[in-house]
Amino acid sequence: DTEVTQTPKHLVMGMTNKKSLKCEQHMGHRAMYWYKQKAKKPPELMFVYSYEKLSINESVPSRFSPECPNSSLLNLHLHALQPEDSALYLCASSQPGRIYGYTFGSGTRLTVV
Amino acid sequence: KQEVTQIPAALSVPEGENLVLNCSFTDSAIYNLQWFRQDPGKGLTSLLLIQSSQREQTSGRLNASLDKSSGRSTLYIAASQPGDSATYLCAVTILQGAQKLVFGQGTRLTINP
């Protein structure tokens, strides 16, 4: 299995809702990432988990809450989002070390209304 | 701070042409460099990964080169096809607290039949 699977593919939520994005990989990668991408822009790093521990939080607002229950799963919990949070949310994984590249999922298209 | 620049921002060429996309980075202390393809609204597909000790990698009609000392990489696409139309992103892996990927702004490529 060489894929990163993200669910759901599309999500519409109100500003008072609570929802979660899920990401799963079975490649044995020990680093997992959340990125946010706005239209016609490159992905922006949000969070990095390395060996199931949060190692980077790029000053992301607390309405985004990441969780890494085990080495294969990564969640992003969403609460009280704003319309400007609407974007494509991408999950990626890699193996720590110089020689490994990144594998990205197909993303979750999030719309906040 | 590592910065990645891609030139041109957009490129439109007729089918069958060979073309070159350019990427430059400001700090040569990279683990590796990866080229990705992104179709509209989709995730990122890895095309080529070049280790910092390597000079080039090839996959089918694609060839990527890396000159770490000058901070440059090129992606060469031979005999372009309409299906090659997409945004191409260059990214370098660096160590900053944890391993992270720094993206360029991308080149939007259109191949005209």
Side-chain angles (χ1 to χ4, degrees), chain B residues 28-106:
Chain B
S28 62
I30 64 171
Y31 274 10
N32 53 53
L33 184 145
Q34 202 164 355
W35 282 93
F36 294 92
R37 168 190 172 135
Q38 187 174 33
D39 294 294
K42 304 295 185 183
L44 277 64
T45 300
S46 179
L47 298 174
L48 289 165
L49 171 69
I50 311 177
Q51 306 301 332
S52 60
S53 59
Q54 296 176 325
R55 299 286 294 185
E56 67 176 342
Q57 282 288 332
T58 297
S59 176
R61 294 182 294 109
L62 305 179
N63 176 276
S65 67
L66 174 64
D67 184 341
K68 201 174 77 158
S69 61
S70 67
R72 294 181 181 180
S73 176
T74 61
L75 179 66
Y76 175 83
I77 302 177
S80 59
Q81 304 171 357
D84 294 331
S85 298
T87 294
Y88 290 78
L89 290 156
C90 166
V92 297
T93 300
I94 64 171
L95 184 63
Q96 194 174 77
Q99 227 167 285
K100 56 195 293 189
L101 202 55
V102 180
F103 284 92
Q105 294 291 312

Side-chain angles (χ1 to χ4, degrees), chain A residues 33 35 37 40-43 45 48 55-56 58 88 90 94-102 104-106 109, chain B residues 30-32 34 36 38 41-44 46 49 51-52 89 93 96-101 103-106 108:
Chain A
Y33 310 80
Y35 285 84
Q37 187 179 27
K40 299 190 186 303
K41 296 290 188 182
L45 182 64
V48 178
S55 53
I56 292 180
E58 295 282 37
L88 181 67
L90 293 163
S94 71
Q95 188 68 337
R98 290 179 172 270
I99 67 171
Y100 300 102
Y102 287 63
F104 279 80
S106 57
R109 171 68 62 189
Chain B
I30 64 171
Y31 274 10
N32 53 53
Q34 202 164 355
F36 294 92
Q38 187 174 33
K42 304 295 185 183
L44 277 64
S46 179
L49 171 69
Q51 306 301 332
S52 60
L89 290 156
T93 300
Q96 194 174 77
Q99 227 167 285
K100 56 195 293 189
L101 202 55
F103 284 92
Q105 294 291 312
R108 291 192 306 280

Side-chain angles (χ1 to χ4, degrees), chain A residues 3-4 23-35 45 47-56 67-68 70-75 90-98 100-105, chain B residues 31 93-95 97-101:
Chain A
E3 290 187 346
V4 173
C23 174
E24 189 169 5
Q25 58 89 13
H26 295 288
M27 294 176 281
H29 290 173
R30 301 307 298 274
M32 296 186 76
Y33 310 80
W34 281 114
Y35 285 84
L45 182 64
F47 302 105
V48 178
Y49 274 85
S50 182
Y51 296 96
E52 294 90 68
K53 294 189 187 302
L54 182 64
S55 53
I56 292 180
E67 178 195 20
C68 188
N70 59 56
S71 61
S72 300
L73 293 174
L74 186 65
N75 298 320
L90 293 163
C91 174
S93 71
S94 71
Q95 188 68 337
R98 290 179 172 270
Y100 300 102
Y102 287 63
T103 302
F104 279 80
Chain B
Y31 274 10
T93 300
I94 64 171
L95 184 63
Q99 227 167 285
K100 56 195 293 189
L101 202 55

